[in-house]
Amino acid sequence: MASTSRDRDTEAAVEAILRRTGGHPRVAAPLGLGKPHALLNALYRAVQGREDRSLTIFTALSLTRPAPGKGLAGRFAAPFLARHFGEAYVDLDYALAQARDALPANVHVHEFYMQSGALLGSGAAQRDYISQNYTHVARDLVGRDIDVLVQLVALRDGRISLSSNPDLTFDFLDHLARSGKPKPFCVAVAHPDMPYVSGHAEAEEGLFDLLVVPDVSPPLFALPRSPIEPAEFALGMHASALVVDGGTLQIGIGALSDALVRALILRHEQNGSWREGLDALDVTGGTRRWMDGWGGSAAFATGLYGASEMVMDGFMHLQRAGILRRRAYDDLERERRAAAGEDVGTEGGHYLRGAFLLGSRELYAWMHRSEVDDPDAIDMCRVSNVNHLYGDHQPLAALQRRGARFFNTCMMATLAGAAVSDGLEDGRVVSGVGGQFNFVAMAHELPGGRSILLLRSTRGKGRRAASNIRFNYGHTTIPRHLRDVYVTEYGVADLRGLSDEACVEAMLSVADARFVDALAEEAKGAGKLRRDFVVPEAWRAHTPEGLAAALEPMRRRGLLDPFPFGSDFTEVERRLLPALGWLRDAGKGALLRALLAPGRPVDGEIEALDRMGLARPGSIAERLERRLVRAALRRQGRLAPDRTPRQA
């Protein structure tokens, strides 16, 4: 087996790549965290503006720092982003150009999953997007003449770990070998902060042709922690009642997943409060019906096993709370004994299996610590193992994933049960299919498995509010014949095996009351709902006001902290967030009233204005902004003097 050469010079690696490829590299790079930014940027610069060179990249989720925006949003975000990412952070040059729709003609970037919503205005990105299930990517890359593979890795005692991204690399190289095609030039770039993960994430000796160990490495991308809004918290409460003790959990990323994790921890640690909160939210009793039928309400005695394509912060919090602890074993007989309740020990067993890693710096440190303290606990492996059920591992995987609850999010859903998760009906791609279809299909194959799609019932505020539950939509990600379970902030709709009319009624029962009559009329007009159907009176309480009233007892007890897992914002910034949110959503009339009658001063007002750079406004526009922010702060102070609840 060939040995791996070693270098510290990124530019030398670029020259080696260009020599190997005749100046026209076709590069495969991991999704998300596993991209070597400095190397890819140097390669992009070496090709940019050269008629005798070209660059084609096959990848996904090219992460860039969020743009701060303009106006008040920019005043708030710019200092925060500078502090969070630091001066040394390096964005991907091609991704920045792609977002501006300004990629040079000799550069093409094919992604199968995009940073959500970031490339809607990029014609090049939309044209070069490849729609694929996550598990098909490695297979399909074989036909794309890839001649270079680059990857960010972790080093330990001369060993290489693919760390955050063993998801596609091994499968891709195996597919190439079976097809008889030559192995690409494989370049690893070591990063000191990448957590070393052993086991299935480790590379065999000689897999990489070149290992670059730079003297200086830019910081890893770390996701800022987002607040959980009350409606999202309510959604998480409903969803948490569907998880069975001793089962399997898959979750994605974002506020809805954070809300689910928060509710699961509340169920485990403060079960009485969790039950009272669910009773208040579940006005019709629908959620408790499914909870008693196939969910759960008790604290977790056996614990959960995580099998998720993405390892994110939520799993860390669940493990620390003692919920993520059921071990799975890669031996069928031992797993059978464990499933039968025998004590088979912990050695060799893992409580979390994932394919890629992305989250906060705290998560990366936790992964590193887990490897040191309990190297068997977390298994990072091929996505074909995590997302795919069929093949030699099927009997074992099905047993390991008993009681599976696969939680994913979507943007919209239809009354007939189809999900809209990745694109718009005009054809533009918002993100990508990723592994969602894999998990939905797998849930239908696993005994006792359920696919649970989470969505907010509405988007927008006030007169701009619109329903995310539609009668129909011109694009779908999950077809209606795979419909299973939907959860909104108003409850649970279990659609499995139902007729179209029963599906329509179930989806109406978790819709926002402001839109339910119009949706019912559409369904009646299409013959999908009987003409004499009358919306039950209990559904009329499904409004933001009704939700706020149901959550009020929990809010008073300090259980609705928008940052239950810590915040990247300062206390002053946390005070500003709801005020700026109100300014963003308020109508012209409300803004005018706020300007004319700003109200009485509140504590922290001066510090908040200073944080926004408005302590000493120098122009008419800045004075107007100062007055708006001051009025919003005072309004928030009047409405909720304890806006930042105590930590539970």
Side-chain angles (χ1 to χ4, degrees), residues 90-126:
V90 175
D91 274 314
L92 289 161
D93 289 343
Y94 75 78
L96 296 177
Q98 191 182 36
R100 301 193 307 270
D101 205 15
L103 276 176
N106 65 335
V107 177
H108 288 275
V109 180
H110 298 281
E111 301 205 59
F112 69 88
Y113 198 95
M114 302 177 182
Q115 193 167 355
S116 185
L119 298 175
L120 284 170
S122 172
Q126 294 293 327

Side-chain angles (χ1 to χ4, degrees), residues 408-419:
N408 288 282
T409 61
C410 59
M411 300 185 298
M412 290 176 278
T414 70
L415 290 182

Side-chain angles (χ1 to χ4, degrees), residues 578 582 594 598-600 602 630-640:
W582 179 80
R600 298 171 63 84
V602 294
R630 187 177 62 185
L633 287 166
R634 293 177 181 183
R635 178 185 180 278
Q636 292 304 121
R638 290 197 309 272
L639 293 180

Side-chain angles (χ1 to χ4, degrees), residues 560-640:
L560 299 191
D561 187 337
F563 295 99
F565 307 121
S567 173
D568 298 303
F569 297 109
T570 66
E571 285 302 315
V572 173
E573 288 167 342
R574 289 187 60 171
R575 193 176 303 120
L576 277 162
L577 280 171
L580 295 175
W582 179 80
L583 288 174
R584 178 196 63 213
D585 298 328
K588 292 181 180 179
L591 293 176
L592 180 59
R593 289 190 294 273
L595 284 171
L596 295 175
R600 298 171 63 84
V602 294
D603 292 341
E605 183 179 303
I606 295 174
E607 294 88 343
L609 291 170
D610 184 60
R611 164 60 180 79
M612 292 292 290
L614 295 171
R616 296 178 180 83
S619 66
I620 294 176
E622 287 183 346
R623 286 198 290 272
L624 178 62
E625 287 182 327
R626 173 188 169 91
R627 193 171 180 87
L628 282 170
V629 173
R630 187 177 62 185
L633 287 166
R634 293 177 181 183
R635 178 185 180 278
Q636 292 304 121
R638 290 197 309 272
L639 293 180

Side-chain angles (χ1 to χ4, degrees), residues 131-154:
S131 183
Q132 295 167 297
N133 284 338
Y134 200 172
T135 52
H136 296 160
V137 173
R139 177 202 67 190
D140 295 347
L141 282 176
V142 172
R144 303 312 297 263
D145 299 323
I146 306 295
D147 48 23
V148 179
L149 185 149
V150 300
Q151 180 135 9
L152 206 63
V153 301

Side-chain angles (χ1 to χ4, degrees), residues 166-323:
D167 50 333
L168 293 172
T169 300
F170 297 130
D171 279 337
F172 168 53
L173 294 176
D174 284 351
H175 278 294
L176 274 178
R178 285 193 291 270
S179 71
K181 293 191 174 185
K183 176 175 171 282
F185 183 50
C186 295
V187 182
V189 178
H191 195 293
D193 297 330
M194 287 288 276
Y196 193 95
V197 184
S198 57
H200 293 113
E202 287 182 309
E204 292 183 3
E205 186 177 351
L207 183 146
F208 289 98
D209 302 292
L210 176 62
L211 171 63
V212 181
V213 187
D215 293 323
V216 179
S217 299
L220 296 175
F221 187 94
L223 288 168
R225 287 173 283 198
S226 300
I228 301 173
E229 296 184 4
E232 294 160 345
F233 179 85
L235 189 152
M237 288 288 290
H238 288 290
S240 67
L242 306 180
V243 178
V244 61
D245 188 20
T248 301
L249 186 67
Q250 186 263 335
I251 46 179
I253 199 163
L256 295 183
S257 296
D258 289 346
L260 168 60
V261 170
R262 171 66 179 125
L264 286 171
I265 294 173
L266 187 63
R267 170 181 158 183
H268 183 64
E269 296 181 341
Q270 301 181 53
N271 193 260
S273 295
W274 177 82
R275 288 172 182 266
E276 290 174 10
L278 186 63
D279 287 349
L281 288 165
D282 187 27
V283 177
T284 64
T287 298
R288 283 165 292 176
R289 173 188 172 193
W290 306 124
M291 177 184 76
D292 294 336
W294 50 268
S297 60
F300 295 93
T302 302
L304 301 178
Y305 166 62
S308 184
E309 66 180 18
M310 181 177 184
V311 173
M312 39 72 81
D313 286 57
F315 287 109
M316 172 181 66
H317 299 306
L318 290 170
Q319 187 270 335
R320 288 173 172 173
I323 297 172

Side-chain angles (χ1 to χ4, degrees), residues 412-417 455-459 465-473 488 490 500-501 503-531 533-535 539-540 542:
M412 290 176 278
T414 70
L415 290 182
L455 78 156
R456 289 283 301 267
S457 69
T458 63
R459 61 186 181 277
S467 178
N468 285 330
I469 296 176
R470 309 282 294 265
F471 174 69
N472 203 12
Y473 195 73
T488 76
Y490 297 120
D500 275 3
E501 182 174 49
C503 282
V504 168
E505 290 190 38
M507 291 300 288
L508 289 175
S509 76
V510 298
D512 189 292
R514 292 170 291 177
F515 305 98
V516 72
D517 289 317
L519 287 168
E521 286 304 311
E522 280 192 89
K524 289 177 181 179
K528 291 294 184 180
L529 189 63
R530 60 192 180 279
R531 278 290 175 185
F533 174 82
V534 177
V535 174
W539 299 0
R540 302 292 181 189
H542 292 167

